[in-house]
Each structure stands twice: as C-alpha cells, then as structure tokens.
Amino acid sequence: MTSSPSLSEKSDIHDIATKGVSVLTGDPKAAIRKLAGPMFIAMLLMTIYNIVDAFWVAGLGSDALAAVGFMTPVFMVLIGFGNGIGAGATSAISRRIGAKDKAGADLAASHSILIMLAVSVILTIVLVPNITAISLLLGAGDVAGLAADYGVVIFSGTVFVLFTNIVYGMLRAEGDTKRTMYAMAVSSVINMILDPVLIYYLDMGITGAALATVISIMFVTVILFYWIWIKKDTYVTISFKNFRLKAAVIKDILGVGIPASTEFFLMSFLVITLNGILVSVAGTDAVAIYTTGWRVVMFAIIPQIAIGTSLVAVAGAAYGAGLPGKLRIAYIYSLKLGFIIAVATSLLTWIFAPQITLMFTYSPESAHIAPGMIAFLQVMCFFYIFVPPGMMTCSMFQGVGKGMTSLFINFLRNLAFIAVIAWIFTYYLGMGQEGVWWGIVAGDVLGGVVALVWAMVYLRMLTRVEERISSESA
C-alpha cells in the first residue's frame, strides 16, 4: 500500500478538502453512486455525440461509415493513451489523497501533465504523416482515401485529446466528477452542432466530421485550463515552480498508465483483427455493421463505464488509507449495481433493435445493411451481462496500482478468448460474420468469470494480511 507521508508533507485533509474529496473518502457505496452519476451523464452525452456523428456520416453512404470504422482502432489507440495516463493519474493521486498526502497528490498531477505532453508530440509525429499508409495497412482498400481524410484531421488534435483526458483523470481522482461532466457535456453539444454544419452546409464531408470533433475538444481545453491555472479552485494544484522530476512518481503513474493504455491497444488490435475477419468473409459492409453497431454497444455500457471509472478513484483512496474492508465493499457494490443495469440494458436493446438500427440506415446508400445490424444488436444483448465482472475488476486493480494485473485480464479477454473464439466460430464452424458476433459474447463470458475469481482471491488475501497485522499489533 501507499507509504505514509512525512510530517512535512502531511496536510490535514479535513481543513483543505473539497466536497469531492470528502465524498471520495467517505462511505464507499455513497461515493460510487455520487461519482458515477455525473460520469454517467457526461459519458451519455459523449456517446450520444458518437451516435449523432455516425448518423450524419451515414448520410454520406456506407463507404464513409466504413472509412470511419477503419480509423476507429487507430483513434482507440489515441484515446487509450489519454485514458491510460489519466487512469494512472487517478490512481496515483487518489491513493495519496487516501493517505492524506496533499503534496504528493500535487506532484503526481504535475508529472502527469509532462508525461501527456511528451506522448502527444510522439503520437502526432508518428500518426499524421503516415495516415494514408496506416489506412492501407488496416485493409481500407478503396476507402483508404476517405479514411485518411478523416484521420489526418483527428490526429492533428492529439495534444487536445490527451490533455482533456488527463485533466478528467485528475478531477476524478479528487472526487470532482461534476466538473468533468460539465466539460464533457460542452464538448458533446458543440460537436453535435458543428457536425451538420461542417459535413453538409460547408460540404466538407467526412473531413467536416473530424474537424467538428477537434474544434469541440479545443474549446474544452480552454475551459479546463481556466479551472486549473486561473481560477485555481481544485483540490490538486499543478505548479512547476521549483519542480523537480522524480523517477518514483513517474514510475507510479506509468505503472498503471502504460498497462491501461496497452489495454486500449489490445482493444484496438482486437477491432483490427475482427475487421480483417469480417472483410474476408463478408466484405466492407460487415465492417460497417460491426463498427456502427459497436457505437450502440458502447452507448449501452455507459453506466458500466461510469461505475468502473468511479471505482478507480474510490478503490485508490481506500487502498491508500489502508482499508481493505472498504475496498471490498466498493467492489462488490459496483458489481451488483452494474449487473442490475446490464440486465435492463439487454432487454431494452433486444426490444428496440429495429428502431435503433433505423438511425444509421435511413439513407438509400446504407439501408441494405439494416437486417445485419439488427441481428448484431440482438446478439450483443448477451454480451452486456458479463461486462460488469471484467470492467469492475480491472478498475479495482487500476485503483490499487496493479495495472499489470488489469492488463493481463484484458489480454485474456480480448485476445486469448474473443479473438480466438471468433476465428474458430467464423472459419472452423463456418458461421460467417455471425461467428465474430458470437465470439465476442463467448469471450466476454469467459473473461468475466476469470476476472471475478481473480478479484475475490485478491480481496481475500488483503483481508487476511490486514487481520494478521491487527493480531500482531494487539
């Protein structure tokens, strides 16, 4: 667990704590609910934007949808770096808050910003000049030009994408998910307004969709900058006055950040793999069905993501405070809440799959993929049920600083289970594109079971260690 701070570094958390910190260090069930609520609203708006974006792009035809689909795994890598470093910041900062180490939390936040800047430069240099080659490498073929048009604009805004994700992670670490909600809401609304204007009114096509995203994120960057460096009313303070790099802090952030980023790379690799399988058995229309339908899946699991994201901060604070019982309560409560929501989501998706599909197949150019997309969405109803064990387990391990454990669980789920089973179902059993869909479900089930067992063993071990220490002290 996090080592105790020295007297010179300690601050009385009750004197300087914000309302968010008080919630974070209080009752774990209440903390999960209060932190997850604003996160749910924020992610709901972001996902609504993604669906609206797909809606407007769908009007350009299935080629445009496929082009965005081929860029999706690359964009997932970018988002993965942002969310990964953000998760590392959340974990490092929240553990120090739990240990009442204000100075340590500030130092972790400042290091996170510097790491973000370095990663932004590297990714921009790698992605932007090579986007056409990357599109072709991913199998875009005839739509490679469209994919490159979209990608070059999106990846030119890398620094803004990463900055916002890092600051969101800092705010979550101190229990301030409401401000995260406000910022994400502003980004989503601006994006939805700009999409039709740039895509159709200014006749920029798929490039307009990408530009709308970048402009909206730039606007939010200004808001976040104001809160942190001008208004200065956050719990964590970012300052580079008398700043010195500390290898231990970088290692602590990247100990969670790199594995968490790699998890997104694994998901991206999985999407690339599944896209390749789908193209080989059913063509680019199958990619359009899968990638567009996956936006709906991501919309459906927003509550799970919100709960899991909140659990990272709550688990980190409990672990930093040396309270394994509180950590267990937070984890179990997150699982129960996630499962109830997953069942309701599955039923609603099954019933309204045709209506949902109509949003993306309204144009003559994309209407022919409607039957396949309805079938995909109904298969995914079985996927939702086993999302909570995998997601909450990985979030808990990230919170306590065990990023490699979270990464390994995701590796098993995405590559050892989903990718392999999808290949077997598609080729060996001859199920075609439906083999990919059912492979996703089967891999999710196996991954969820493994994750749940792993988490319970770990929590039992922590409890035994705590009991032994207590008995020795007595």
Side-chain angles (χ1 to χ4, degrees):
M1 294 190 179
T2 305
S3 59
S4 299
S6 65
L7 290 176
S8 62
E9 293 176 317
K10 273 188 175 181
S11 298
D12 187 344
I13 198 169
H14 299 293
D15 288 339
I16 60 176
T18 61
K19 183 178 180 180
V21 170
S22 299
V23 169
L24 184 67
T25 55
D27 174 55
K29 292 182 180 180
I32 293 292
R33 291 194 303 270
K34 291 180 180 179
L35 297 184
M39 286 306 304
F40 167 73
I41 295 173
M43 292 178 180
L44 178 66
L45 289 170
M46 288 293 288
T47 309
I48 288 175
Y49 145 67
N50 283 327
I51 291 177
V52 170
D53 185 62
F55 172 84
W56 291 115
V57 172
L60 300 172
S62 59
D63 281 353
L65 283 173
V68 173
F70 281 110
M71 280 295 97
T72 295
V74 187
F75 190 62
M76 285 173 63
V77 172
L78 174 58
I79 294 296
F81 275 108
N83 286 350
I85 301 172
T90 298
S91 178
I93 294 169
S94 64
R95 279 182 278 124
R96 284 162 175 79
I97 289 175
K100 301 182 180 180
D101 181 9
K102 172 68 166 61
D106 292 344
L107 194 61
S110 299
H111 277 75
S112 298
I113 292 294
L114 291 180
I115 293 171
M116 176 276 299
L117 290 173
V119 173
S120 296
V121 171
I122 295 171
L123 287 179
T124 302
I125 291 174
V126 170
L127 292 174
V128 173
N130 303 302
I131 197 62
T132 300
I134 293 172
S135 302
L136 292 170
L137 184 63
L138 295 177
D142 294 339
V143 299
L146 281 174
D149 289 342
Y150 181 83
V152 73
V153 176
I154 283 288
F155 301 123
S156 293
T158 293
V159 66
F160 304 112
V161 174
L162 295 188
F163 177 81
T164 53
N165 276 279
I166 299 305
V167 177
Y168 291 157
M170 294 176 187
L171 293 173
R172 289 195 299 268
E174 60 181 65
D176 191 353
T177 54
K178 283 188 178 181
R179 250 197 284 217
T180 303
M181 174 185 70
Y182 299 146
M184 294 176 76
V186 168
S187 176
S188 300
V189 171
I190 292 176
N191 217 324
M192 286 186 280
I193 293 173
L194 289 177
D195 262 342
V197 174
L198 297 178
I199 294 173
Y200 295 105
Y201 184 74
L202 296 181
D203 197 26
M204 297 180 68
I206 198 171
T207 302
L211 188 59
T213 298
V214 173
I215 291 174
S216 65
I217 297 174
M218 289 172 63
F219 190 87
V220 172
T221 297
V222 174
I223 296 175
L224 296 175
F225 186 90
Y226 169 76
W227 283 340
I228 293 174
W229 281 289
I230 299 177
K231 194 175 182 182
K232 296 182 179 180
D233 62 345
T234 56
Y235 173 77
V236 171
T237 303
I238 300 176
S239 175
F240 296 100
K241 185 178 180 180
N242 300 321
F243 176 83
R244 292 181 62 185
L245 280 174
K246 289 192 176 182
V249 178
I250 295 175
K251 182 179 179 181
D252 193 19
I253 295 170
L254 295 183
V256 172
I258 290 179
S261 298
T262 307
E263 288 176 22
F264 277 83
F265 176 77
L266 290 179
M267 287 187 282
S268 178
F269 184 78
L270 175 65
V271 171
I272 294 171
T273 301
L274 297 183
N275 279 350
I277 294 175
L278 288 168
V279 168
S280 70
V281 298
T284 57
D285 280 352
V287 175
I289 290 171
Y290 166 58
T291 54
T292 305
W294 196 252
R295 291 185 184 225
V296 180
V297 173
M298 293 305 296
F299 181 86
I301 64 174
I302 288 173
Q304 313 292 347
I305 298 173
I307 295 168
T309 302
S310 301
L311 180 59
V312 175
V314 176
Y319 187 81
L323 300 171
K326 191 173 180 179
L327 175 62
R328 182 185 183 90
I329 291 172
Y331 174 72
I332 298 298
Y333 183 73
S334 298
L335 275 180
K336 292 179 179 178
L337 193 58
F339 180 73
I340 292 170
I341 294 172
V343 172
T345 300
S346 296
L347 293 174
L348 290 172
T349 304
W350 180 275
I351 294 170
F352 295 106
Q355 289 77 14
I356 295 170
T357 297
L358 186 60
M359 294 177 60
F360 309 99
T361 57
Y362 64 90
S363 72
E365 293 82 5
S366 57
H368 63 284
I369 67 174
M373 189 167 170
I374 292 172
F376 172 81
L377 293 178
Q378 291 182 331
V379 169
M380 288 302 104
C381 291
F382 299 95
F383 167 83
Y384 300 138
I385 305 299
F386 284 85
V387 168
M391 187 169 293
M392 305 314 161
T393 297
C394 290
S395 294
M396 181 194 70
F397 280 121
Q398 287 177 358
V400 301
K402 294 187 175 296
M404 289 303 297
T405 302
S406 175
L407 173 60
F408 186 69
I409 291 172
N410 266 297
F411 171 81
L412 289 178
R413 176 181 175 275
N414 289 319
L415 298 186
F417 296 152
I418 292 180
V420 172
I421 295 174
W423 186 89
I424 292 173
F425 283 1
T426 302
Y427 295 116
Y428 187 74
L429 299 183
M431 294 174 64
Q433 66 176 336
E434 292 188 8
V436 171
W437 307 344
W438 285 108
I440 293 171
V441 172
D444 182 53
V445 172
L446 286 176
V449 171
V450 170
L452 182 61
V453 171
W454 200 323
M456 298 311 295
V457 170
Y458 173 74
L459 289 170
R460 189 177 297 115
M461 180 194 70
L462 277 186
T463 301
R464 288 176 178 173
V465 170
E466 184 71 14
E467 290 174 349
R468 186 176 69 248
I469 293 175
S470 298
S471 62
E472 290 174 354
S473 298

